[in-house]
Amino acid sequence: MAAVKATNSKAEVARAQASLAVNISAARGLQDVLRTNLGPKGTMKMLVSGAGDIKITKDGNVLLHEMQIQHPTASLIAKVATAQDDITGDGTTSNVLIIGELLKQADLYISEGLHPRIITEGFEVAKTKALEVLEEVKVKKEMKREILLDVARTSLRTKVHVELADMLTEAVVDSVLAVRRPGYPIDLFMVEIMEMKHKSEMDTRMIRGLVLDHGARHPDMKKRIEDAFILICNVSLEYEKTEVNSGFFYKTAEEKEKLVKAERKFIEDKVQKIIDLKYKVCAHSNKGFVVINQKGIDPLSLDALAKHDIVALRRAKRRNMERLSLACGGIAVNSFEDLTADCLGHAGLVYQYTLGEEKFTFIEDCINPHSVTLLVKGPNKHTLTQIKDAIRDGLHAVKNAIEDGCVVPGAGATEVAIAESLVTYKHVVNGRACLGVQAFADALLIIPKVLAQNSGYDLQETLLKVQAEHSESKQLVGIDLNTGEPMVAGDAGIWDNYCVKKQILHSCTVIATNILLVDEIMRAGMSSLKE
């Protein structure tokens, strides 16, 4: 009887063999769910929430976030996989598949009486060797646009259909290249993803500027301005209550009138400063002038600005203020004391677009913008969500490639190369730990196997062809998913991120090791005592 039963008779316990079986079945269950999603030919999953909302996706990260996983071991694996996505932006499905397969391979040896500790030692040795091989197969390249297009295309094709992926590829790469500034880390938050439920998904495009999800608040303001100066400010142009609770006592109505006028003048002075600046910079030209304010602008101020042909937008989002100054140039001002022409940004075209009841303001044709917008269009909500998830992964893939300065071949080529090296290496490993190395090598092959299976080919036959081709040519050979034949992944332009593969090897080994070394599962928390 388990020792814990003596202290808590209601505790639930699973001992050695049973606990391992529970853990391995959980890992394999999760693996079976995500197995069919891998690769460009993977299938979709439809998630229906309690409220009846539908989400159609093949993104492993979205699935693991949205699914309600109750099994403790499965939720542990899911958390590791989603953490992988948070760090590198990709590799969730591969992560779950390899963890499941490592446990499955280990189970074969454990059922023959081998101790889990010996296998885990083999895993550690294999991981070290696998990382060495990964260093050898990585290809250092100057990250030109062509390479980045290949990296983005490889990532996006696994998320959306081919025509859409190819169209998004250019938009995603150009976005990252636009926001990249020498000497600064790449900040993907400077790529605004704006969605419009309109037309088809093939109309999604990149805008070298910004799209705001609101319009001007005055009917007389122009809807389209070319060659415009842009003033970005965070100044209140409306009557505000005093910060301290104070009372004013008047003797006569005239005194009250005086106070109201004084309060109004305070705001009118600020508005006048904007109007003066406009005439100063646009005096001898027909350039436009746009004010984008983070705080409010009251109707009287809007009216005054409209009379002087100034377009004003109020209550812009705070995150857009930073993006605006990067996109148009200029400085976001917090007071109108020292307003000069140097504070102004510039845009070639500012126009308002109305879609149903929603208004959008487009700020386009900026010179050398360091913040851009991806305008996602689609006929319905789940298409928009699917494209947004895909774009997020594509942006991360391009960013990783630029930061790593190197890429690794995709299409299962890296896994086949590592597995072959490990099979040779296991003869050098002393004792029974070499069985762990063998199990690790077999487990990595799950990636090329599933890629072939999801494309409708015989997985054993395809894998044997690829391994034979790799042994003969010594090139990094992957699977051509259109024909099922071996191909050199690099020549076909299929590249994966180095940091994603490295992270997968690290996290899979750690989690598989921890799960294998569990020999007792106890549910003996406080809640079971209370019953």
Side-chain angles (χ1 to χ4, degrees):
M1 188 172 114
V4 73
K5 284 278 189 188
T7 54
N8 178 357
S9 56
K10 288 197 171 133
E12 294 172 36
V13 185
R15 294 305 293 271
Q17 280 298 309
S19 69
L20 201 59
V22 166
N23 286 343
I24 291 172
S25 69
R28 290 183 62 178
L30 203 55
Q31 184 193 35
D32 288 342
V33 172
L34 294 184
R35 189 184 181 115
T36 51
N37 291 14
L38 188 74
K41 304 273 175 130
T43 49
M44 298 281 192
K45 295 276 185 287
M46 183 191 278
L47 287 167
V48 185
S49 73
D53 293 337
I54 291 174
K55 205 165 202 179
I56 298 175
T57 182
K58 61 194 279 198
D59 186 345
N61 180 44
V62 176
L63 276 171
L64 294 174
H65 267 300
E66 301 282 335
M67 282 195 310
Q68 285 191 333
I69 301 171
Q70 291 190 326
H71 194 290
T73 313
S75 80
L76 175 71
I77 296 170
K79 278 178 185 148
V80 170
T82 50
Q84 156 99 22
D85 191 274
D86 295 339
I87 298 166
T88 58
D90 209 351
T92 29
T93 313
S94 314
N95 214 320
V96 172
L97 291 185
I98 294 175
I99 291 174
E101 198 62 17
L102 280 168
L103 295 176
K104 184 174 159 188
Q105 296 295 339
D107 193 33
L108 297 174
Y109 293 110
I110 291 168
S111 60
E112 291 171 6
L114 189 66
H115 194 279
R117 174 60 75 186
I118 291 166
I119 290 193
T120 57
E121 282 169 8
F123 280 177
E124 283 302 322
V125 174
K127 179 186 85 172
T128 312
K129 177 66 178 170
L131 289 169
E132 284 172 21
V133 178
L134 188 65
E135 289 292 330
E136 289 164 22
V137 300
K138 77 177 182 187
V139 181
K140 272 193 180 287
K141 287 187 178 236
E142 190 188 339
M143 287 299 152
K144 291 191 174 146
R145 191 164 181 269
E146 287 69 39
I147 297 289
L148 295 175
L149 284 171
D150 286 341
V151 171
R153 192 178 298 114
T154 308
S155 172
L156 286 165
R157 280 190 176 180
T158 62
K159 307 286 184 284
V160 287
H161 61 85
V162 176
E163 294 84 12
L164 179 56
D166 290 352
M167 197 206 67
L168 290 175
T169 300
E170 296 222 355
V172 163
V173 172
D174 289 342
S175 304
V176 178
L177 291 176
V179 300
R180 180 170 69 161
R181 292 184 290 166
Y184 290 91
I186 296 170
D187 184 3
L188 293 182
F189 283 110
M190 289 303 112
V191 180
E192 163 85 322
I193 300 174
M194 178 63 71
E195 50 185 68
M196 282 173 92
K197 205 185 281 187
H198 182 46
K199 297 189 179 176
S200 81
E201 62 267 32
M202 297 305 284
D203 293 314
T204 299
R205 64 193 177 101
M206 183 191 104
I207 289 168
R208 289 190 176 277
L210 222 66
V211 180
L212 307 175
D213 51 1
H214 50 86
R217 282 280 180 264
H218 195 283
D220 295 345
M221 287 181 178
K222 287 182 181 173
K223 300 282 185 280
R224 181 184 178 90
I225 304 166
E226 290 180 14
D227 197 9
F229 286 109
I230 293 180
L231 174 64
I232 308 156
C233 54
N234 179 18
V235 179
S236 176
L237 294 175
E238 60 185 345
Y239 169 68
E240 286 191 359
K241 287 192 177 123
T242 51
E243 284 184 19
V244 285
N245 276 336
S246 55
F248 294 104
F249 299 97
Y250 326 106
K251 290 198 263 316
T252 59
E254 285 79 24
E255 282 186 11
K256 184 184 179 190
E257 194 67 31
K258 225 184 210 174
L259 184 77
V260 171
K261 276 185 183 162
E263 281 177 341
R264 185 72 230 153
K265 187 175 182 308
F266 180 65
I267 294 162
E268 280 170 358
D269 288 349
K270 291 182 185 174
V271 175
Q272 192 56 45
K273 281 182 181 166
I274 297 175
I275 295 166
D276 293 345
L277 182 66
K278 189 233 168 173
Y279 284 116
K280 187 177 163 189
V281 293
C282 306
H284 307 294
S285 63
N286 56 353
K287 290 189 173 185
F289 198 91
V290 181
V291 177
I292 298 172
N293 193 4
Q294 192 181 325
K295 293 205 169 109
I297 305 176
D298 63 15
L300 291 167
S301 306
L302 281 171
D303 206 40
L305 293 169
K307 277 180 190 158
H308 294 275
D309 261 356
I310 297 174
V311 175
L313 285 87
R314 64 185 181 193
R315 304 205 190 287
K317 291 191 181 75
R318 184 163 170 264
R319 63 198 166 118
N320 282 338
M321 300 315 260
E322 190 181 346
R323 290 192 184 123
L324 272 166
S325 52
L326 283 171
C328 312
I331 305 160
V333 293
N334 284 321
S335 84
F336 290 153
E337 294 307 312
D338 308 312
L339 263 190
T340 58
D342 300 339
C343 303
L344 298 175
H346 183 271
L349 177 64
V350 178
Y351 64 95
Q352 188 175 313
Y353 185 92
T354 309
L355 181 65
E357 291 184 1
E358 292 180 352
K359 287 180 182 172
F360 295 90
T361 304
F362 286 71
I363 300 166
E364 290 191 39
D365 296 348
C366 301
I367 305 156
N368 191 19
H370 286 302
S371 176
V372 293
T373 303
L374 284 168
L375 187 64
V376 178
K377 293 189 178 182
N380 48 37
K381 195 159 187 297
H382 61 250
T383 309
L384 290 172
T385 313
Q386 195 182 338
I387 297 173
K388 273 175 74 177
D389 289 336
I391 283 176
R392 183 181 162 277
D393 286 9
L395 290 170
H396 273 285
V398 178
K399 176 183 176 232
N400 290 341
I402 292 172
E403 288 181 349
D404 291 342
C406 59
V407 283
V408 294
T414 308
E415 285 80 5
V416 170
I418 293 175
E420 186 160 312
S421 298
L422 288 177
V423 171
T424 323
Y425 177 67
K426 82 171 184 191
H427 301 300
V428 185
V429 179
N430 296 328
R432 290 178 297 171
C434 69
L435 298 173
V437 178
Q438 179 65 49
F440 197 92
D442 293 341
L444 286 179
L445 293 175
I446 184 75
I447 301 292
K449 277 185 193 168
V450 171
L451 283 173
Q453 188 180 16
N454 288 350
S455 306
Y457 305 111
D458 181 274
L459 71 169
Q460 302 296 350
E461 185 191 350
T462 315
L463 184 62
L464 289 169
K465 273 190 207 165
V466 170
Q467 285 179 311
E469 180 72 26
H470 180 265
S471 303
E472 281 173 33
S473 67
K474 291 296 173 208
Q475 283 183 297
L476 295 165
V477 181
I479 303 167
D480 184 342
L481 299 185
N482 297 319
T483 60
E485 296 298 314
M487 64 160 184
V488 179
D491 295 353
I494 297 176
W495 299 106
D496 278 343
N497 286 137
Y498 163 75
C499 65
V500 173
K501 296 281 184 209
K502 187 177 175 184
Q503 182 72 23
I504 286 175
L505 289 171
H506 275 297
S507 56
C508 290
T509 315
V510 169
I511 290 299
T513 303
N514 284 346
I515 291 174
L516 280 175
L517 293 178
V518 170
D519 74 333
E520 195 163 333
I521 302 172
M522 294 176 273
R523 183 178 286 168
M526 292 303 289
S527 58
S528 55
L529 283 170
K530 286 174 190 167
E531 291 163 15

